[in-house]
C-alpha cells in the first residue's frame, strides 16, 4: 500500500510539473521590461518569449509578433526552445511508462517488472526536469548580467518574467515527483506490498508428499 501511495503522489506531482513546463514553454513572458518613452509619453511593457515578442500598451492593447527566423535568435533562446520541447516529449513518455507499471493498472502482470517500469518512469521525469532547469538558469543568468551591465541601454534591459518562475516551479515538482517514483522501487517499500508464501506439505492420494503454497 505504501508503494501505491508513493506512486500516486509522485505521478500527481510529475503530471502537474509537466503541464507547468508546457505552459512556461508557450508563454511569452520569459523576459519582461517596462519603460516610458521620452518623446511619446506612453507606458509600454515588452514581453520576450521563446516563440514570440509582445508589446502591451497602457490602454490594454497588445501586439505580438512571432520570431521570423530561428537562426537569427540568440544561442540561449535556441537552446531553451530545444530543451523545453524535449522535456515536454519526455514528460509524455514518462507518463505512459509510469501508468503502464503502476499498481492500479494491469498492463504488466509481474510485480517485479512493474516496479522496474515505475522506476524507469521516475528517472525519465527527473531527466525531464533537468532539461527544463538548464535553459531557465541560463536565461536568468543572462538577464541579470545584462541588467547590471552599464553598456546595455536602459531600453534593452530586461527583467525575469513570470514564465521563468513557473518553469522553476515545474522543475521542482518534476524532480520531487520523480524521486518519489524512484523511492517506490526500493525493497523496503515494496516488501510490504508483495504477498508472502509459506510452503506446506500435503499427502496426495498416492501417498506422496507434495508442496503447496498458501497465503499467510
Amino acid at each position: 500500500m505504501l508503494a501505491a501511495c508513493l506512486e500516486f503522489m509522485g505521478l500527481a506531482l510529475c503530471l502537474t510539473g509537466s503541464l507547468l513546463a508546457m505552459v512556461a514553454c508557450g508563454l511569452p513572458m520569459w523576459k519582461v521590461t517596462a519603460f516610458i518613452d521620452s518623446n511619446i509619453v506612453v507606458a509600454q511593457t515588452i514581453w520576450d518569449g521563446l516563440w514570440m515578442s509582445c508589446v502591451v500598451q497602457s490602454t490594454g492593447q497588445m501586439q505580438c509578433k512571432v520570431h521570423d527566423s530561428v537562426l537569427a535568435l540568440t544561442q540561449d533562446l535556441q537552446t531553451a526552445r530545444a530543451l523545453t520541447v524535449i522535456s515536454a516529449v519526455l514528460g509524455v513518455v514518462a507518463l505512459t511508462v509510469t501508468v503502464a507499471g503502476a499498481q492500479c493498472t494491469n498492463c504488466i502482470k509481474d510485480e517485479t517488472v512493474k516496479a522496474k517500469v515505475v522506476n524507469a518512469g521516475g528517472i525519465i521525469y527527473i531527466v525531464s526536469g533537468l532539461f527544463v532547469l538548464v535553459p531557465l538558469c541560463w536565461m536568468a543568468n543572462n538577464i541579470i548580467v545584462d541588467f547590471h551591465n552599464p553598456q546595455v541601454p536602459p531600453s534593452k534591459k530586461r527583467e525575469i518574467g513570470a514564465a521563468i518562475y513557473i518553469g522553476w516551479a515545474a522543475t521542482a515538482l518534476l524532480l520531487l515527483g520523480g524521486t518519489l517514483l524512484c523511492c517506490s522501487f526500493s525493497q523496503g517499500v515494496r516488501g510490504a506490498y508483495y504477498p508472502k508464501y509459506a510452503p506446506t506439505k500435503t499427502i496426495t492420494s498416492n501417498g506422496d508428499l507434495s508442496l503447496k503454497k498458501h497465503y499467510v
Side-chain angles (χ1 to χ4, degrees):
M1 184 60 68
L2 181 57
C5 293
L6 288 178
E7 288 178 3
F8 177 78
M9 292 177 59
L11 185 59
L13 292 176
C14 289
L15 184 58
T16 305
S18 295
L19 293 177
L20 289 178
M22 294 178 186
V23 171
C25 178
L27 286 178
M29 294 177 290
W30 282 64
K31 300 178 181 179
V32 179
T33 185
F35 66 93
I36 298 178
D37 197 329
S38 58
N39 297 324
I40 303 176
V41 184
V42 177
Q44 292 180 335
T45 301
I46 299 178
W47 297 344
D48 292 328
L50 301 182
W51 313 97
M52 64 181 67
S53 297
C54 298
V55 178
V56 182
Q57 305 290 342
S58 59
T59 57
Q61 184 180 4
M62 181 173 64
Q63 296 179 347
C64 296
K65 180 183 178 182
V66 180
H67 297 309
D68 296 327
S69 176
V70 178
L71 298 179
L73 297 176
T74 58
Q75 188 176 5
D76 56 349
L77 280 178
Q78 294 181 14
T79 305
R81 273 188 174 190
L83 292 182
T84 50
V85 171
I86 293 175
S87 175
V89 174
L90 287 178
V92 176
V93 174
L95 176 62
T96 305
V97 172
T98 305
V99 171
Q103 298 289 343
C104 58
T105 59
N106 295 323
C107 299
I108 301 174
K109 302 299 182 181
D110 192 349
E111 293 292 338
T112 304
V113 177
K114 292 180 70 172
K116 293 181 180 179
V117 170
V118 171
N119 183 62
I123 294 175
I124 297 175
Y125 270 126
I126 292 176
V127 174
S128 176
L130 294 177
F131 274 19
V132 178
L133 183 62
V134 171
L136 290 172
C137 294
W138 188 2
M139 191 82 67
N141 178 72
N142 290 343
I143 293 173
I144 295 173
V145 170
D146 291 340
F147 186 84
H148 294 287
N149 187 0
Q151 297 180 355
V152 177
S155 61
K156 298 294 184 180
K157 293 181 182 294
R158 298 291 185 266
E159 295 181 358
I160 298 176
I164 293 183
Y165 292 107
I166 294 176
W168 278 332
T171 301
L173 292 177
L174 287 171
L175 295 178
L176 180 58
T179 303
L180 290 178
L181 291 176
C182 292
C183 289
S184 66
F185 175 71
S186 63
Q187 294 295 331
V189 175
R190 290 274 173 174
Y193 179 82
Y194 294 137
K196 296 181 179 180
Y197 300 95
T200 58
K201 295 182 179 180
T202 58
I203 301 177
T204 62
S205 59
N206 297 329
D208 298 331
L209 292 177
S210 63
L211 294 177
K212 292 185 178 180
K213 295 181 179 179
H214 299 280
Y215 290 103
V216 175

